Amino acid sequence: MKSVLQYAQSVLQKQRTLKNRILKSVMGNNVGSDDDVDALAQQIGKSLNVKEEKKGLELLAEWIEKGKAKNILVLCGAGVSVSAGIPDFRTPGTGLYDNLQKYNLPYPEAIFDVGFYRKKPQAFCTLAQELWPGLMHSPTLTHSFLKLLSDKGLLLRNYTQNIDGLEHLAGLPVDELVECHGHFRTASCINCRKEADGEKVKETIVEKKE
């Protein structure tokens, strides 16, 4: 099995061109150059009272490898799933909110609005058929790295904004994962709150397309 340092080096090699895109999805338009990761690493280094010559992801990986960084907390946004083929929300042209014209929504966010769902549930159900975990999309290198941190006992918690379930599919334990916006594994009635069988809901939406 690869060490954390070796794994980080492979991430650097395979995903360097995606770095700014992922950072922008997490930090907004405040990311402007390749120096941002180095600046972030320096800030973390100060909090750990560590002085090193290396920069960026290589420095972070070395801290993990040497045991200087433990109880790691990871915050994930839509950018970590872009390389799996799932669009983020707000990137002009490719983002989800820019490509919902076929649903005839009053505004893009309505597709996730329970009030709109009560009136026209088919819009969300159709989107759910495309996003349902494990059907069209698989965990990315980033999700695999989170699993590696977990396997090594270094992951304190992963907080994710995503509903794609890729962290769960990658094998993260439920006690280390907080899916802030929910997931597709369970369901309940929006009126009486009674729990429904998740597999039957999947069968209705995905297979029967009702």
Side-chain angles (χ1 to χ4, degrees), residues 74-76 146 155-160 167 172 176-178:
V74 181
L75 307 177
C76 291
L146 293 175
L155 183 67
L156 174 64
R157 200 83 69 240
N158 172 213
Y159 291 91
T160 179
E167 295 88 0
L172 287 189
E176 295 176 3
L177 177 62
V178 178

Side-chain angles (χ1 to χ4, degrees), residues 59 76 151:
L59 176 56
C76 291
D151 290 345

Side-chain angles (χ1 to χ4, degrees), residues 33-44:
S33 71
D34 288 342
D35 294 331
D36 292 294
V37 173
D38 296 338
L40 178 61
Q42 290 174 0
Q43 292 177 9
I44 296 174

Side-chain angles (χ1 to χ4, degrees), residues 119-146:
K119 300 175 182 177
K120 297 182 178 181
Q122 196 57 43
F124 173 77
C125 290
T126 301
L127 180 65
Q129 294 165 12
E130 301 174 8
L131 295 180
W132 206 282
L135 298 182
M136 299 175 60
H137 310 288
S138 302
T140 68
L141 200 60
T142 301
H143 298 105
S144 299
F145 180 65
L146 293 175

Side-chain angles (χ1 to χ4, degrees), residues 12-58:
L12 277 171
Q13 186 176 19
K14 295 179 180 179
Q15 293 196 324
R16 191 176 299 275
T17 57
L18 291 175
K19 181 180 66 178
N20 279 346
R21 186 174 181 181
I22 293 172
L23 283 171
K24 285 181 180 178
S25 71
V26 176
M27 300 173 63
N29 293 323
N30 295 324
V31 181
S33 71
D34 288 342
D35 294 331
D36 292 294
V37 173
D38 296 338
L40 178 61
Q42 290 174 0
Q43 292 177 9
I44 296 174
K46 289 179 180 178
S47 69
L48 296 174
N49 295 317
V50 174
K51 293 183 179 180
E52 302 281 359
E53 293 184 357
K54 291 185 178 180
K55 296 182 179 182
L57 294 177
E58 290 182 348

Side-chain angles (χ1 to χ4, degrees), residues 23 66 68 70 83 112 120-121 133 139 172 188-189:
L23 283 171
K66 292 182 178 180
K68 295 179 180 179
K70 302 176 181 179
S83 60
F112 296 119
K120 297 182 178 181
L172 287 189
S188 59
C189 176

Side-chain angles (χ1 to χ4, degrees), residues 55-105:
K55 296 182 179 182
L57 294 177
E58 290 182 348
L59 176 56
L60 295 177
E62 187 169 293
W63 291 338
I64 296 172
E65 188 78 357
K66 292 182 178 180
K68 295 179 180 179
K70 302 176 181 179
N71 293 324
I72 299 171
L73 190 151
V74 181
L75 307 177
C76 291
V80 301
S81 298
V82 168
S83 60
I86 301 174
D88 62 18
F89 287 89
R90 295 179 175 82
T91 298
T94 61
L96 179 65
Y97 287 155
D98 249 10
N99 293 277
L100 296 175
Q101 296 86 353
K102 62 182 178 181
Y103 299 111
N104 296 316
L105 303 172

